[in-house]
Amino acid sequence: MAEAITWAMLLARWTEFARSAVALPKDGAGGRWRESVPAIIGLQAITMALRDLDEHELDEDRSLAIDTASVGIDRHTDNLAGIWVNEPWPEELHELLEDARRAMADAGASGLEWCVDGERASLEHPAELVGFLEAAGFVGDLYLAAPGQVLSESCPIAFLHEPGGGLPDEDVIGAVAGFLDANGVGSDGIRRGPPRQAYRQFDFARGGPVRDLVAWMGGDPRPGQPLLVPVVLEGQAQPVALPQRRGRPADPPPLEFEADVSEGAEAGE
């Protein structure tokens, strides 16, 4: 069971860690770097606390914690801008800000992802599941592998998201898990974090698909056919094509992951 904690407690824990771990350049504009230490520690602490959110159940609203983190990032950014006014920002500071903003976006986009936990799997049309979610008042997003599309072991096959990145109601999670279980996808491949997409990439000179590539869904689209399609967006059912019946489904191509999207990767890793 996740540990109950407040955002203030989580941030304080990581602030102390960042304070002990921060390393500054020993040459260059030493004075500016020394002035930047509080903002550097603050940004590092916020980044690590945001990445840690999925490991804890907050005593307060998760969206409020993310909003508070956003205010903190803006404050530290303004402080750094005042310190480095009329001076080019060091690359290390740009990286700190990029990491903090990505961690905030990932925290808001977080959800539950199911991966294929057998040799391969494909899904039937989710019409009945969508009807249940509508009746249950679900207001989030659900992505599923396109009906009839065969995916290989460890490939993402479903992603369930609640606004703000919190966990959906248990009956919603149970309904999605039940649909996947009926289609041969169990609970061994569940992860929590930001969404990933799988792209089926083709080389028609070689006669068809050459690989399925897993990348972060929030990044730039990759070449190829996205294998996960939106089934529900912001609580609204989306049109989903029926599976094509053309005899025995083709075997999936080899599965690969982008460098920063390893199997079972958590947010920000």
Side-chain angles (χ1 to χ4, degrees):
M1 180 177 293
E3 174 190 1
I5 194 171
T6 67
W7 170 253
M9 292 166 59
L10 188 60
L11 185 60
R13 175 187 300 177
W14 284 112
T15 298
E16 185 59 34
F17 176 86
R19 184 178 291 119
S20 65
V22 67
L24 299 178
K26 296 186 170 37
D27 53 10
R32 292 184 187 275
W33 278 108
R34 282 191 292 274
E35 286 185 72
S36 302
V37 168
I40 291 171
I41 290 173
L43 285 171
Q44 287 183 325
I46 289 173
T47 300
M48 291 183 285
L50 286 168
R51 290 175 178 171
D52 209 19
L53 273 182
D54 288 338
E55 301 300 319
H56 303 279
E57 294 297 334
L58 292 186
D59 285 340
E60 68 264 24
D61 184 76
R62 179 187 174 104
S63 296
L64 177 60
I66 295 174
D67 288 343
T68 304
S70 177
V71 171
I73 291 171
D74 289 343
R75 183 178 70 251
H76 294 311
T77 301
D78 290 343
N79 289 342
L80 289 172
I83 294 168
W84 294 89
V85 64
N86 299 325
E87 293 286 339
W89 282 40
E91 185 61 30
E92 294 90 340
L93 295 184
H94 285 295
E95 291 174 358
L96 278 173
L97 286 173
E98 183 179 347
D99 287 347
R101 287 168 178 158
R102 176 176 173 179
M104 186 173 66
D106 285 348
S110 183
L112 288 178
E113 178 193 78
W114 283 260
C115 295
V116 178
D117 56 356
E119 184 177 347
R120 63 193 60 191
S122 64
L123 303 180
E124 298 294 329
H125 195 278
E128 185 175 342
L129 171 62
V130 171
F132 174 86
L133 296 179
E134 287 183 318
F138 176 61
V139 296
D141 304 330
L142 174 63
Y143 286 78
L144 294 173
Q149 194 72 264
V150 181
L151 306 183
S152 57
E153 185 175 4
S154 299
C155 185
I157 195 169
F159 181 76
L160 180 65
H161 168 74
E162 184 81 7
L167 287 175
D169 292 340
E170 290 186 5
D171 58 341
V172 169
I173 296 174
V176 175
F179 169 78
L180 293 170
D181 183 66
N183 285 268
V185 180
S187 60
D188 290 343
I190 292 181
R191 63 174 278 276
R192 189 174 179 187
R196 302 184 293 181
Q197 177 63 276
Y199 297 90
R200 182 151 294 172
Q201 299 184 329
F202 297 82
D203 183 346
F204 292 103
R206 295 168 57 183
V210 292
R211 68 172 180 173
D212 288 345
L213 178 67
V214 178
W216 294 118
M217 191 179 289
D220 295 331
R222 303 301 189 266
Q225 174 191 358
L227 298 183
L228 272 67
V229 298
V231 173
V232 179
L233 290 178
E234 297 181 353
Q236 300 299 310
Q238 304 297 303
V240 179
L242 292 169
Q244 296 180 347
R245 302 297 183 184
R246 295 180 178 174
R248 184 181 182 276
D251 292 335
L255 180 68
E256 298 181 19
F257 293 79
E258 287 199 337
D260 63 338
V261 187
S262 61
E263 295 182 47
E266 295 297 332
E269 287 188 1

